[in-house]
Amino acid sequence: MSKVQPAVDASSPRIPVRRRGGPRLAAQLFAAGVAALFSSSTLADAVVPPDGQYAVPTALGGVQGAFNGLSKRPDALAIYPATGRVGTTCKHYQGIARVHGTDGTPYLIMTKSGNKSICVLEDDEPGWLIVMKLGSRPKSGERLGSNVLPYGSTDHSVYPEPMATFEHDRVVSAFRLDGQDVAASFRHPGGIQLAGNVIAIGAETGYNGEPSGATVLFFDVSNPELPTLTSKFHVPGSGSALGADPVGLAPIPAEDGTCCRYLLVVSGGDGNDRVQFFISQPDPGRTTTTLSSADLAWLPNNKAFTAGELSSCIGQTWPTAGLVQGGQHQMLNFVREGGLGGPLYMIGGRRDGTIVNPFVDEYLDLYRVNLSPEGAIQDCPFTHVATKTVGTDAWANEGTTSTFSAAGGVYVSPSGELIVYNGKHDLTTRFDLSDPQNPVVLSYHISVGEYRIGSLVRADSPLLRPTAAVDGPFAVDEGGMVPLTGRGEQARQKAFVQLFEDDGVGLGLPGWLDSDEWLSVEYADRNADRFHSLDQLGGDADEIWDNVGSVRWFAPPGCTISANDYPGWSDSWPGPNTVLLRGTGRFEEEHDLDDLRVYTPADSLWPAAPVPADVASSGVDYDDDIEGVTFHHQVPFGDGVANRHDCDSYYVKPIGLGWDLDSNGSFEASGTVVTFDAFALDGPSTATVRARAQHPTDTSPTGSGDPFALPVQVRNVAPQIGAATVADSLGRDLSGGSTPAIVGLPVTLSVGFTDPGRPDTQTASVDWNDGSGPDTSFAEFSDARNGATGRLVDSRVFAAAGTKTIAATVTDDDGGATVRQVTIVVLSLVDAIEHVADRLTALIASTTDPEVAAALRAARDELIGNHGGKPPTNGATDKLDADDPSGAIVKLKAALEDLLAAEALGGGDLSALEDLLGLVAEGIATATYEDAKAAIPTPSPGQARTLATIAALIRTGHERLAGQEYLDACDSFKSATDKALGLLK
């Protein structure tokens, strides 16, 4: 047996005080409005509500229904203390809160008093903050369930491999409220409540400089094993008239409806005869409060209420302490229904008498908090709703596990289950009773009770159905596809049976609690003990063996629980009076086994319950007959029998996923990988896919998980430009600049584009790089909606030569833009002629035919002149320099005649040079025409006719040029030029 070691010694770490800022609640990192359906494998994966506290669903009676349905006995939790700082009758455990690590591991944080109270042989000392890790428990955030197995006895003498269990469930850290471990000095830390990642602890009896009265301490428990003190709130006016134990904390909407501000309740004084509420102040410049802030501030929310004032308005006498303590609420915690804006309730836990009196009752009280929409406490602060009598003996008769005069706290699970915890005042002793005359103390543990709904989970709980864990987040381009992946998981709450020694399945009469044996046997724990032979469980098992008067069970269709007449060790198992408890996917109850209605299914060896509605039934007396429970049963097999493990078969089947990809409710796709098609979707937007888990053989409601919404982000995709070209009036591609354009003649930009977002519409602009700015008026434009190919066509005349980078931008209605640039070279008339002359020089050097060379040489001479003269004056460039545009065209025509002759002599295809010279001639005619129009802003009728004739001649010349009728084209251009010159004289 390991030696018990204290958790805290001189080298223990001090809990730091966060001086400024600090992280916001982790809950506030999650976007508001996401459904808080628990559908992942650990609490860390669950969707956390934005206010940091889960709420009880409104269905099945909401908080009131959940409260009334709480089990009257708790499940037993045992935590190895690993510390000498243990509770005693006077210095007992005070408050308890359930928190979680980042991976979902559950922790219980408890406070312990250091007040000696009436214990004259003890001294006062600092209070304690104790952190207990429940490492053996599920990480789902749901009920913990008893870790005290197998079925034991009132002295807790029988545990399975206790040290192995305690290695996982143990105190991992403990801190003194002495001003050193924690920067706060109090002897009496009390009630606790968690909101997000922050716990509030009511503390009283300060020393070492702490103000007298009560103070609420706020700790960030993001790391549960090292709580960080973030702020302290001294309760104004506290002292003998008002304290701070117990304490409750809840988020409430800010004035603008956002999350969150916080409501604080404290109670104290003489036997908790004063109650006061406070509301958190918003952060500077904001409407909401950062609960973990070092600057957290509170203001009174209405007045301090006396016990008399409360009793006159809430509907019952406000519980206060009796003559020798006891009776007052030791726990007051808030619970929300439906969500942040839903009704707010408060649950109080109390013991109606002194802590040493074993015959007094334990109660839970439910109150509805009366808040205005703005969060103001009304003059009657709350209304009494219900009171519930509870016991402190565990389900499996594990003895007194807890009391509401010691630690207590309320918790709501991710699936919305209301759970209440409490603890004993002091440690529980574990004995070795192998020699009853000489019991040996083996170890000590902290006992905690977990009160949950009587049927383990509520009837509509998603935990009864398979769940889905989906990967992600998922995003897809509009018009694209993305695989969605996930996996199905079996239901977390599997089949179970609850056995009750008395009739009534543990419900009893209002305010009544029997002392008979109760036992829950769950499929998941079926091998944790010998539940098939109840007489071998140990302890007081003979009180439930062969002594069951009522039973409750749940199993999915196809899973059968066998309530056996004989124990498993019997050669005649399962015994002649065995009854099969058939799985229906619903909670089934038999309140009195004296007259159990049964029927015998075809090919069954044993009668079964419940009886289908259309089947005749018979009654059997099955009271006090159950000697064992198994999740398998006997069936005929040939000439003998065989064991059918149909529950095993049900729970080993792989859970599939159904996908409703278009949110029409059909769940048309299935599989762990499906393809989501955003063919017709517009981004940026969020598409909603619904998924649900599906058992492969169970088609009943139990076999399908709750559908949950899965967001798929649809990203906008900018339009895609497929082609962008710039051509001159002859259709020559000018892109890249190898084929030049001519100043004064139009070039045409053509752009084709598509858009994956079929609903998108598009606009465009063109920057011609000529200083005119973006152009948005086009000769032709059509968008690319519904999968069409969009088109942009526009023309421009460049007035100046140079290299031009033309930029076309296509923008969709969501702001996505694509730019395509095309570079062209624009030449002046002279530069274009010289460009052709340079090309001719290269051709002359490369040709071997003297006749071709002579023709090319003659053409070059017509362009740049015969260099026999100094300077030459007989070329087209010379004519342009001499302001003789008509003469220049004559020279261009002559050069074209020489090029045509060179082609005829075998000089190859010279049409590119011929086209360019023809365009130069058109450019000369066009420039002269523009000069004439500019010189005659108000032409006479005759001048107007002449201008029209000139334009017609240029058009005719262009048509001839396009048909490669170069010489005729030059004649038209020259005629147009001559007429224009005539108007300029």
Side-chain angles (χ1 to χ4, degrees):
M1 180 63 64
S2 303
K3 184 178 180 181
V4 176
Q5 297 291 337
V8 178
D9 54 28
S11 62
S12 298
R14 176 181 177 182
I15 300 182
V17 178
R18 181 173 296 132
R19 299 298 181 188
R20 286 286 171 188
R24 290 189 176 276
L25 298 181
Q28 295 173 335
L29 298 177
F30 291 82
V34 179
L37 178 65
F38 186 63
S39 60
S40 53
S41 57
T42 69
L43 178 64
D45 301 324
V47 178
V48 179
D51 60 13
Q53 285 186 339
Y54 292 102
V56 175
T58 56
L60 300 183
V63 170
Q64 186 172 353
F67 177 86
N68 291 334
L70 283 173
S71 58
K72 292 192 175 184
R73 293 184 179 182
D75 288 330
L77 295 166
I79 298 96
Y80 188 54
T83 175
R85 317 304 183 189
V86 298
T88 65
T89 299
C90 286
K91 299 177 183 179
H92 61 79
Y93 301 115
Q94 292 282 324
I96 188 169
R98 178 174 170 180
V99 302
H100 294 88
T102 56
D103 66 346
T105 298
Y107 291 79
L108 295 175
I109 295 181
M110 294 180 71
T111 53
K112 187 186 85 68
S113 173
N115 281 339
K116 68 177 182 180
S117 186
I118 61 174
C119 299
V120 295
L121 298 180
E122 300 185 33
D123 294 324
D124 288 332
E125 63 176 337
W128 286 82
L129 186 64
I130 301 169
V131 180
M132 300 175 287
K133 181 178 181 180
L134 280 296
S136 73
R137 301 291 84 202
K139 299 180 180 182
S140 63
E142 299 301 319
R143 69 182 180 91
L144 298 175
S146 176
N147 66 350
V148 183
L149 292 172
Y151 182 90
S153 64
T154 55
D155 54 24
H156 297 264
S157 61
V158 183
Y159 291 143
E161 301 179 10
M163 296 313 299
T165 299
F166 289 151
E167 283 299 315
H168 300 288
D169 302 331
R170 63 188 300 137
V171 171
V172 290
S173 55
F175 303 93
R176 292 167 294 195
L177 273 70
D178 60 355
Q180 297 181 27
D181 278 4
V182 180
S185 301
F186 293 92
R187 291 202 299 267
H188 190 269
I192 311 177
Q193 185 156 23
L194 172 77
N197 284 336
V198 172
I199 57 172
I201 300 177
E204 299 168 330
T205 318
Y207 64 103
N208 288 347
E210 296 285 357
S212 62
T215 297
V216 181
L217 307 176
F218 294 89
F219 290 83
D220 187 319
V221 290
S222 299
N223 178 359
E225 297 188 17
L226 189 63
T228 302
L229 181 65
T230 58
S231 68
K232 297 187 286 187
F233 169 56
H234 178 68
V235 179
S238 63
S240 60
L242 181 66
D245 176 34
V247 64
L249 179 67
I252 60 175
E255 291 183 0
D256 59 0
T258 59
C259 179
C260 297
R261 291 177 73 183
Y262 294 87
L263 180 68
L264 181 69
V265 62
V266 296
S267 181
D270 186 9
N272 286 356
D273 62 356
R274 295 290 189 275
V275 175
Q276 190 167 355
F277 295 86
F278 298 90
I279 188 169
S280 68
Q281 295 306 287
D283 298 344
R286 303 184 60 188
T287 61
T288 58
T289 300
T290 301
L291 193 58
S292 59
S293 171
D295 298 321
L296 181 64
W298 301 85
L299 284 180
N301 195 342
N302 211 322
K303 64 178 182 178
F305 297 91
T306 68
E309 290 170 328
L310 294 173
S311 298
S312 66
C313 78
I314 66 175
Q316 75 163 18
T317 299
W318 177 250
T320 58
L323 293 176
V324 192
Q325 267 299 345
Q328 80 272 22
H329 288 120
Q330 189 75 8
M331 172 198 79
L332 287 177
N333 276 183
F334 290 117
V335 179
R336 181 72 72 174
E337 177 177 307
L340 180 62
L344 184 64
Y345 291 85
M346 186 172 68
I347 295 179
R350 58 189 169 94
R351 177 181 175 89
D352 189 19
T354 64
I355 62 177
V356 296
N357 185 349
F359 301 107
V360 297
D361 292 323
E362 305 265 347
Y363 297 104
L364 287 173
D365 294 301
L366 177 66
Y367 305 93
R368 176 158 177 162
V369 182
N370 298 321
L371 279 175
S372 73
E374 295 76 27
I377 287 289
Q378 302 300 288
D379 289 339
C380 185
F382 41 81
T383 302
H384 177 256
V385 177
T387 294
K388 187 178 185 72
T389 306
V390 294
T392 57
D393 285 355
W395 274 87
N397 192 24
E398 287 296 339
T400 301
T401 60
S402 52
T403 171
F404 281 108
S405 65
V410 173
Y411 172 78
V412 178
S413 77
S415 69
E417 295 288 356
L418 176 62
I419 299 172
V420 178
Y421 293 98
N422 64 0
K424 293 182 69 173
H425 289 91
D426 48 14
L427 289 185
T428 295
T429 306
R430 178 175 174 269
F431 295 93
D432 180 353
L433 297 179
S434 56
D435 181 359
Q437 302 302 317
N438 296 288
V440 177
V441 176
L442 296 178
S443 66
Y444 303 93
H445 65 263
I446 300 172
S447 291
V448 175
E450 180 181 60
Y451 295 84
R452 37 68 185 171
I453 195 166
S455 299
L456 303 186
V457 295
R458 66 184 188 275
D460 67 341
S461 171
L463 303 178
L464 294 169
R465 299 181 289 281
T467 61
V470 179
D471 302 322
F474 297 105
V476 61
D477 290 340
E478 58 183 1
M481 294 185 293
V482 64
L484 306 181
T485 58
R487 63 192 181 279
E489 298 177 349
Q490 287 283 356
R492 288 183 174 84
Q493 179 57 64
K494 297 178 175 61
F496 64 85
V497 60
Q498 295 172 311
L499 308 177
F500 304 86
E501 183 180 355
D502 203 359
D503 295 345
V505 293
L507 298 178
L509 298 174
W512 171 83
L513 182 70
D514 65 64
S515 59
D516 290 334
E517 298 297 299
W518 297 357
L519 176 64
S520 293
V521 184
E522 300 186 57
Y523 174 84
D525 293 332
R526 65 196 183 282
N527 297 320
D529 197 10
R530 290 167 291 184
F531 296 113
H532 62 287
S533 302
L534 298 180
D535 65 332
Q536 295 183 337
L537 292 178
D540 297 329
D542 57 340
E543 294 186 19
I544 193 76
W545 175 65
D546 217 359
N547 199 24
V548 176
S550 60
V551 63
R552 178 191 295 123
W553 75 94
F554 165 82
C559 170
T560 302
I561 301 170
S562 186
N564 303 310
D565 182 26
Y566 288 177
W569 51 258
S570 171
D571 292 338
S572 302
W573 177 90
N577 293 329
T578 292
V579 172
L580 303 181
L581 306 179
R582 191 168 55 88
T584 63
R586 301 181 302 273
F587 293 137
E588 302 291 347
E589 292 182 350
E590 291 294 340
H591 290 237
D592 185 355
L593 294 181
D594 288 341
D595 183 22
L596 175 64
R597 309 308 298 180
V598 297
Y599 78 109
T600 302
D603 301 325
S604 176
L605 295 173
W606 316 108
V611 181
D614 57 348
V615 175
S617 67
S618 60
V620 298
D621 182 356
Y622 200 50
D623 190 46
D624 301 338
D625 272 339
I626 299 177
E627 298 187 1
V629 173
T630 59
F631 291 88
H632 60 274
H633 61 286
Q634 280 191 346
V635 295
F637 185 76
D639 294 333
V641 294
N643 289 331
R644 174 173 291 170
H645 296 266
D646 52 11
C647 293
D648 291 351
S649 298
Y650 183 95
Y651 286 120
V652 299
K653 286 184 170 60
I655 301 299
L657 286 183
W659 303 83
D660 179 7
L661 298 176
D662 52 9
S663 291
N664 67 353
S666 65
F667 292 91
E668 67 279 1
S670 62
T672 56
V673 182
V674 296
T675 298
F676 178 76
D677 191 345
F679 172 74
L681 299 183
D682 186 21
S685 62
T686 301
T688 299
V689 172
R690 298 205 310 160
R692 70 180 181 190
Q694 180 62 58
H695 192 280
T697 59
D698 185 358
T699 59
S700 74
T702 310
S704 296
D706 285 343
F708 62 94
L710 172 69
V712 179
Q713 299 301 318
V714 181
R715 297 180 293 243
N716 182 61
V717 179
Q720 299 174 357
I721 297 178
T725 60
V726 179
D728 60 19
S729 57
L730 295 180
R732 301 184 312 153
D733 186 1
L734 308 179
S735 304
S738 59
T739 299
I742 304 297
V743 165
L745 295 183
V747 297
T748 300
L749 170 68
S750 298
V751 177
F753 59 90
T754 58
D755 196 324
R758 293 177 65 86
D760 283 350
T761 58
Q762 300 79 32
T763 58
S765 65
V766 178
D767 184 353
W768 290 98
N769 194 217
D770 60 356
S772 61
D775 180 14
T776 58
S777 179
F778 312 122
E780 178 183 342
F781 182 81
S782 60
D783 65 21
R785 76 180 75 185
N786 295 324
T789 298
R791 180 170 174 79
L792 181 159
V793 178
D794 201 23
S795 298
R796 180 60 57 100
V797 173
F798 287 100
T803 300
K804 309 292 184 180
T805 299
I806 305 167
T809 302
V810 181
T811 305
D812 65 24
D813 54 2
D814 298 306
T818 299
V819 180
R820 177 65 65 84
Q821 295 181 333
V822 181
T823 299
I824 66 171
V825 173
V826 181
L827 298 179
S828 67
L829 297 173
V830 171
D831 288 342
I833 294 171
E834 291 178 346
H835 172 78
V836 174
D838 291 341
R839 295 287 303 275
L840 291 176
T841 299
L843 289 173
I844 293 168
S846 64
T847 185
T848 58
D849 188 327
E851 292 182 338
V852 171
L856 295 175
R857 197 175 296 112
R860 185 181 62 183
D861 289 346
E862 296 293 347
L863 297 177
I864 60 174
N866 185 340
H867 288 265
K870 295 182 180 180
T873 58
N874 57 351
T877 56
D878 301 318
K879 298 299 182 183
L880 290 176
D881 289 341
D883 197 18
D884 181 6
S886 181
I889 293 176
V890 171
K891 287 295 185 179
L892 292 172
K893 180 180 178 182
L896 284 165
E897 289 175 336
D898 291 332
L899 291 178
L900 291 170
E903 279 185 321
L905 291 170
D909 183 6
L910 302 175
S911 59
L913 299 178
E914 293 161 353
D915 287 344
L916 186 54
L917 291 178
L919 289 171
V920 171
E922 183 178 355
I924 293 171
T926 301
T928 309
Y929 169 61
E930 294 296 333
D931 290 343
K933 287 200 300 180
I936 311 172
T938 309
S940 66
Q943 291 171 327
R945 286 193 293 273
T946 301
L947 289 171
T949 299
I950 296 170
L953 286 169
I954 293 174
R955 287 196 299 272
T956 299
H958 182 76
E959 292 170 358
R960 290 173 175 174
L961 178 60
Q964 295 187 332
E965 299 173 16
Y966 302 111
L967 303 182
D968 292 340
C970 286
D971 290 340
S972 295
F973 295 142
K974 182 177 182 304
S975 296
T977 302
D978 290 341
K979 290 183 180 295
L981 291 172
L983 292 174
L984 290 170
K985 290 181 180 180

